[in-house]
Amino acid sequence: MLNRFFGRKPKEEEGAARQEENVAGQERKGADSAFEQRLSFLKASLSRTRRLFGRVQESFRQDEPLTDTFWDELEESLIEADVGASTTTWLLERLRERAEQEHLRTTSQVRRALREELLALLGKAAPLRFATQAPLTVMLIIGVNGSGKTTTVAKLAYRLKQEGHRVILAAADTFRAGAIEQLKTWGERIDVPVISQNPGSDPGAVVYDAIQAGLSRGHDVLLVDTAGRLHTKFNLMEELKKIGKVVQKFLPEGPQELLIVIDATTGQNALLQARKFAEDVGLTGVIITKMDSTAKGGFAFAVADDLGVPIKFLGTGEKVTDLMPFDPESFVEALLAQDE
């Protein structure tokens, strides 16, 4: 009787169910495979940071009773990995509290708790935001000179292009000598158009031209490379606000992203600069560069804890493909992975 209503015989139902199970299984395998690839890559990229956890990792491996020495070594490792004093203090207080409340007695139990607390600090993965009504998404990329900002703009443009977006770039860092030419060179290399004016030009005018070009040519994403430094911080912040007003005049929904690029090798100094940007102009996300060339990968936890905005990408090398979406779970797993 039911088959008449649903138009499917029992055997057909069984076949369809098996097919759905197979599809779900393939999706799970695909997700597991992608996770393993990210994990393997991150373990290699974070190799220097992971060495700082070596003594604690040995305790984790041996599953020893908790001692004052263990807590001291864990604190030292977190500090050396540039997790930051305040974040490290909070983590240790939280872990000691959990050890008492949950009756944790061994280092392996603390390892599980540490993993959970680190994941909580980082939050969930945060994909890029795109316009829902307007035809053009605008993303402003900010950061101090030397952070790898312009190169990161190019890497992000390349990644978005590979995903099927029609990207256009705006060379709005008109105050740094060579910034415009650097972005143009990258644009030619990845075959993405760059809108620019002469050095010293008004960045707002460059963004205006780029918006008009993007709309008229059918592009769907505009990446704006902004100034990393002006004569004073006040001038820099005011310039960024002015660019935002230009965007909103033509695209009220934008900018969709205001991303700051931070050099992991500069550690806590970079965090102080990022905090100033966050206070004055607001941020939607962070891109951390040079994660492969430093032992201070714990800096990511300090960033998430201090700025309160998600980390969206990690820069892990010099190639245009060396920009990966930030996945908190694989990042923490790679950091705490126990090598056989």
Side-chain angles (χ1 to χ4, degrees):
M1 179 68 70
L2 291 175
N3 290 328
R4 277 202 294 259
F5 288 100
F6 292 100
R8 184 181 287 164
K9 296 179 181 179
K11 289 185 179 179
E12 292 173 330
E13 290 180 347
E14 293 174 4
R18 283 197 298 271
Q19 185 176 4
E20 290 175 359
E21 289 176 1
N22 290 337
V23 170
Q26 290 172 359
E27 289 177 349
R28 284 194 298 271
K29 288 180 181 178
D32 291 343
S33 177
F35 179 82
E36 288 300 324
Q37 289 177 356
R38 287 195 302 271
L39 179 60
S40 177
F41 184 80
L42 280 169
K43 285 172 69 175
S45 297
L46 296 173
S47 59
R48 298 187 184 186
T49 302
R50 294 177 66 229
R51 291 191 200 111
L52 295 179
F53 286 77
R55 288 170 298 173
V56 178
Q57 290 286 28
E58 191 60 31
S59 296
F60 286 153
R61 186 190 301 275
Q62 296 175 7
D63 196 18
E64 297 175 342
L66 298 180
T67 64
D68 289 341
T69 299
F70 168 79
W71 291 113
D72 290 342
E73 289 184 348
L74 178 57
E75 179 178 17
E76 184 178 343
S77 296
L78 293 171
I79 291 291
E80 289 182 350
D82 216 23
V83 171
S86 62
T87 305
T88 296
T89 299
W90 182 87
L91 273 171
L92 288 173
E93 289 177 352
R94 177 68 180 139
L95 289 172
R96 286 180 179 274
E97 183 181 275
R98 287 188 59 174
E100 182 177 348
Q101 293 177 349
E102 301 170 22
H103 306 292
L104 308 182
R105 297 289 181 263
T106 66
T107 55
S108 65
Q109 292 173 325
V110 171
R111 180 185 184 277
R112 286 192 292 272
L114 175 61
R115 180 183 183 279
E116 291 168 2
E117 295 301 330
L118 292 176
L119 278 172
L121 268 179
L122 295 176
K124 296 182 179 180
L128 290 174
R129 301 188 299 186
F130 293 89
T132 57
Q133 303 295 328
L136 184 64
T137 293
V138 181
M139 301 182 188
L140 306 184
I141 317 298
I142 66 178
V144 299
N145 294 340
S147 62
K149 173 175 59 67
T150 300
T151 300
T152 299
V153 171
K155 290 180 179 180
L156 182 56
Y158 179 81
R159 182 175 190 89
L160 290 171
K161 181 182 176 183
Q162 296 301 111
E163 292 174 358
H165 293 282
R166 297 199 64 207
V167 185
I168 188 169
L169 304 178
D173 187 354
T174 61
F175 297 96
R176 179 171 68 88
I180 297 173
E181 289 305 316
Q182 182 185 4
L183 192 64
K184 282 184 176 180
T185 300
W186 271 115
E188 293 174 1
R189 191 176 302 175
I190 63 177
D191 193 26
V192 170
V194 177
I195 303 301
S196 66
Q197 293 186 13
N198 294 325
S201 299
D202 177 12
V206 176
V207 174
Y208 169 84
D209 288 347
I211 290 174
Q212 300 308 311
L215 292 172
S216 63
R217 300 177 190 176
H219 293 277
D220 67 312
V221 177
L222 166 61
L223 300 182
V224 181
D225 182 20
T226 68
R229 180 172 296 148
L230 294 180
H231 300 301
T232 68
K233 287 184 178 179
F234 175 79
N235 287 340
L236 174 57
M237 301 306 172
E238 289 303 306
E239 197 63 64
L240 290 171
K241 292 175 185 177
K242 180 180 176 181
I243 290 174
K245 290 178 181 178
V246 171
V247 173
Q248 290 179 346
K249 182 177 180 180
F250 298 96
L251 300 164
E253 191 181 342
Q256 279 68 34
E257 294 280 7
L258 182 56
L259 305 173
I260 188 167
V261 178
I262 303 179
D263 180 350
T265 63
T266 59
Q268 298 299 311
N269 287 333
L271 188 56
L272 292 174
Q273 296 166 338
R275 190 182 303 147
K276 183 63 177 175
F277 279 108
E279 292 171 354
D280 287 1
V281 296
L283 298 171
T284 61
V286 179
I287 300 175
I288 303 179
T289 62
K290 306 178 186 177
M291 286 293 284
D292 58 315
S293 58
T294 179
K296 298 182 179 294
F299 177 59
F301 301 106
V303 167
D305 186 33
D306 192 279
L307 298 183
V309 294
I311 300 168
K312 300 214 171 185
F313 290 93
L314 296 181
T316 56
E318 298 298 324
K319 300 194 296 285
V320 72
T321 54
D322 290 335
L323 184 73
M324 66 182 303
F326 184 69
D327 176 56
E329 187 173 355
S330 57
F331 182 83
V332 171
E333 195 64 35
L335 196 64
L336 297 179
Q338 295 178 336
D339 295 326
E340 299 298 333

